[in-house]
Coordinates of all heavy atoms in Angstrom, one line a residue:
Chain B
S1311 N -61.6 51.4 -67.9 CA -61.7 50.5 -69.2 C -60.2 50.2 -69.5 O -59.3 50.8 -69.2 CB -62.3 51.3 -70.3 OG -61.5 52.3 -70.7
R1312 N -60.2 48.9 -70.2 CA -58.9 48.6 -70.8 C -58.7 49.3 -72.1 O -57.8 49.8 -72.4 CB -58.8 47.1 -71.0 CG -58.8 46.4 -69.6 CD -58.1 45.1 -69.8 NE -58.3 44.3 -68.5 CZ -59.3 43.6 -68.3 NH1 -60.3 43.5 -69.3 NH2 -59.5 42.9 -67.2
R1313 N -59.8 49.3 -72.9 CA -59.7 50.0 -74.1 C -60.5 51.4 -73.9 O -61.5 51.5 -73.2 CB -60.5 49.2 -75.2 CG -62.0 48.9 -74.7 CD -62.5 47.9 -75.6 NE -63.9 47.8 -75.4 CZ -64.5 47.3 -74.2 NH1 -63.5 46.8 -73.3 NH2 -65.7 47.2 -74.0
S1314 N -59.9 52.5 -74.3 CA -60.4 53.8 -74.0 C -61.8 53.9 -74.7 O -61.8 54.1 -76.0 CB -59.5 54.8 -74.4 OG -58.3 54.7 -73.7
A1315 N -62.8 53.8 -74.0 CA -64.1 54.0 -74.4 C -64.5 55.5 -74.7 O -64.6 56.2 -73.7 CB -65.1 53.3 -73.7
E1316 N -64.4 56.0 -75.9 CA -64.7 57.4 -76.1 C -66.2 57.6 -76.2 O -66.9 56.8 -77.0 CB -64.1 57.9 -77.4 CG -62.6 58.2 -77.3 CD -62.3 59.3 -76.5 OE1 -63.0 60.5 -76.5 OE2 -61.5 59.3 -75.5
L1317 N -66.8 58.5 -75.4 CA -68.1 58.7 -75.5 C -68.6 59.9 -76.4 O -67.7 60.8 -76.6 CB -68.7 59.0 -74.1 CG -69.5 57.9 -73.7 CD1 -69.1 57.4 -72.3 CD2 -70.9 58.1 -73.7
P1318 N -69.7 59.7 -77.1 CA -70.1 60.8 -78.0 C -70.2 62.1 -77.2 O -70.6 62.1 -75.9 CB -71.4 60.4 -78.5 CG -71.9 59.3 -77.6 CD -70.6 58.6 -77.2
H1319 N -69.7 63.2 -77.6 CA -69.8 64.5 -76.7 C -71.1 65.2 -76.8 O -71.3 66.0 -76.0 CB -68.6 65.4 -77.4 CG -67.3 64.9 -77.1 ND1 -66.7 64.8 -75.9 CD2 -66.4 64.3 -78.0 CE1 -65.5 64.3 -76.0 NE2 -65.3 64.0 -77.3
H1320 N -72.0 64.8 -77.7 CA -73.2 65.6 -77.7 C -74.3 65.0 -76.8 O -75.4 64.7 -77.2 CB -73.7 65.6 -79.2 CG -73.9 64.2 -79.8 ND1 -73.0 63.4 -80.3 CD2 -75.0 63.4 -79.7 CE1 -73.5 62.3 -80.7 NE2 -74.7 62.2 -80.4
L1321 N -73.9 64.8 -75.6 CA -74.8 64.1 -74.6 C -75.7 65.2 -73.9 O -76.6 64.9 -73.5 CB -74.1 63.2 -73.6 CG -73.6 61.9 -74.2 CD1 -72.9 61.1 -73.2 CD2 -74.8 61.1 -74.8
E1322 N -75.0 66.4 -73.8 CA -75.7 67.4 -72.9 C -77.1 67.6 -73.3 O -77.9 67.8 -72.5 CB -74.8 68.7 -73.0 CG -73.6 68.6 -72.3 CD -72.4 68.0 -73.2 OE1 -72.8 67.4 -74.3 OE2 -71.3 68.0 -72.8
H1323 N -77.4 67.8 -74.7 CA -78.8 68.1 -75.0 C -79.8 67.1 -74.7 O -80.9 67.3 -74.7 CB -78.9 68.5 -76.6 CG -78.6 67.2 -77.3 ND1 -77.5 66.6 -77.7 CD2 -79.6 66.4 -78.0 CE1 -77.6 65.5 -78.4 NE2 -79.0 65.4 -78.6
L1324 N -79.3 65.8 -74.5 CA -80.1 64.6 -74.2 C -80.8 64.9 -72.9 O -81.9 64.2 -72.6 CB -79.4 63.4 -74.2 CG -78.9 62.9 -75.5 CD1 -78.0 61.8 -75.4 CD2 -79.9 62.9 -76.6
A1325 N -80.4 65.6 -72.1 CA -81.0 65.8 -70.8 C -82.3 66.7 -70.9 O -83.0 66.8 -70.0 CB -80.1 66.6 -69.8
E1326 N -82.6 67.2 -72.0 CA -83.6 68.2 -72.2 C -84.8 67.5 -72.8 O -85.8 68.2 -73.0 CB -83.3 69.3 -73.0 CG -81.9 70.0 -72.5 CD -82.0 70.4 -71.1 OE1 -83.2 70.7 -70.7 OE2 -81.0 70.2 -70.4
G1327 N -84.8 66.2 -73.2 CA -86.1 65.6 -73.8 C -86.6 64.4 -73.1 O -86.3 64.1 -71.9
R1328 N -87.5 63.8 -73.8 CA -88.2 62.6 -73.2 C -87.3 61.4 -73.4 O -86.8 61.2 -74.4 CB -89.5 62.5 -73.8 CG -90.4 61.5 -73.2 CD -91.8 61.7 -73.8 NE -91.8 61.4 -75.1 CZ -92.1 60.3 -75.7 NH1 -92.3 59.2 -75.1 NH2 -92.1 60.2 -77.0
W1329 N -87.2 60.6 -72.2 CA -86.6 59.4 -72.3 C -87.6 58.1 -72.2 O -88.6 58.2 -71.5 CB -85.5 59.1 -71.3 CG -84.2 59.8 -71.5 CD1 -84.1 61.2 -71.5 CD2 -83.0 59.2 -71.8 NE1 -82.7 61.4 -71.8 CE2 -82.1 60.2 -71.9 CE3 -82.6 57.9 -71.9 CZ2 -80.8 59.9 -72.3 CZ3 -81.3 57.6 -72.2 CH2 -80.4 58.6 -72.4
V1330 N -87.3 57.1 -73.1 CA -88.2 55.8 -73.0 C -87.4 54.8 -72.5 O -86.3 54.4 -73.0 CB -88.7 55.6 -74.4 CG1 -89.6 54.3 -74.3 CG2 -89.5 56.8 -74.9
V1331 N -87.8 54.1 -71.4 CA -87.2 53.0 -70.8 C -88.0 51.8 -71.0 O -89.2 51.8 -70.6 CB -86.9 53.1 -69.3 CG1 -86.3 51.9 -68.8 CG2 -85.9 54.3 -69.1
C1332 N -87.7 50.9 -71.9 CA -88.5 49.7 -72.1 C -87.8 48.4 -71.4 O -86.8 47.9 -72.0 CB -88.7 49.4 -73.6 SG -89.8 48.1 -74.0
A1333 N -88.3 48.2 -70.2 CA -87.6 47.1 -69.4 C -88.6 46.3 -68.5 O -89.6 46.9 -68.2 CB -86.5 47.6 -68.6
D1334 N -88.2 45.2 -68.2 CA -89.0 44.5 -67.2 C -88.2 44.3 -65.9 O -87.0 44.3 -65.9 CB -89.6 43.2 -67.7 CG -88.5 42.5 -68.6 OD1 -87.2 42.7 -68.4 OD2 -88.7 41.6 -69.4
G1335 N -88.9 43.9 -64.9 CA -88.2 43.5 -63.6 C -87.7 44.8 -62.9 O -88.0 45.9 -63.3
S1336 N -86.7 44.6 -62.0 CA -86.2 45.7 -61.2 C -85.2 46.6 -62.0 O -85.0 47.7 -61.6 CB -85.4 45.2 -60.0 OG -84.6 44.2 -60.4
F1337 N -84.8 46.1 -63.1 CA -83.9 47.0 -63.9 C -84.6 48.3 -64.4 O -84.0 49.4 -64.2 CB -83.3 46.2 -65.1 CG -82.4 47.0 -66.1 CD1 -81.3 47.6 -65.7 CD2 -82.8 47.4 -67.4 CE1 -80.5 48.3 -66.6 CE2 -82.1 48.1 -68.2 CZ -80.9 48.6 -67.8
G1338 N -85.8 48.1 -65.0 CA -86.6 49.2 -65.4 C -86.9 50.3 -64.3 O -86.7 51.5 -64.4
V1339 N -87.2 49.7 -63.1 CA -87.6 50.5 -62.0 C -86.3 51.4 -61.5 O -86.5 52.6 -61.3 CB -88.1 49.7 -60.8 CG1 -88.3 50.5 -59.7 CG2 -89.3 48.9 -61.3

Side-chain angles (χ1 to χ4, degrees):
Chain B
S1311 68
R1312 289 209 192 81
R1313 50 191 195 293
S1314 298
E1316 282 291 319
L1317 251 131
H1319 292 288
H1320 58 273
L1321 287 180
E1322 289 82 351
H1323 72 277
L1324 293 177
E1326 307 308 319
R1328 188 166 59 92
W1329 277 71
V1330 179
V1331 176
C1332 187
D1334 40 22
S1336 51
F1337 175 68
V1339 178

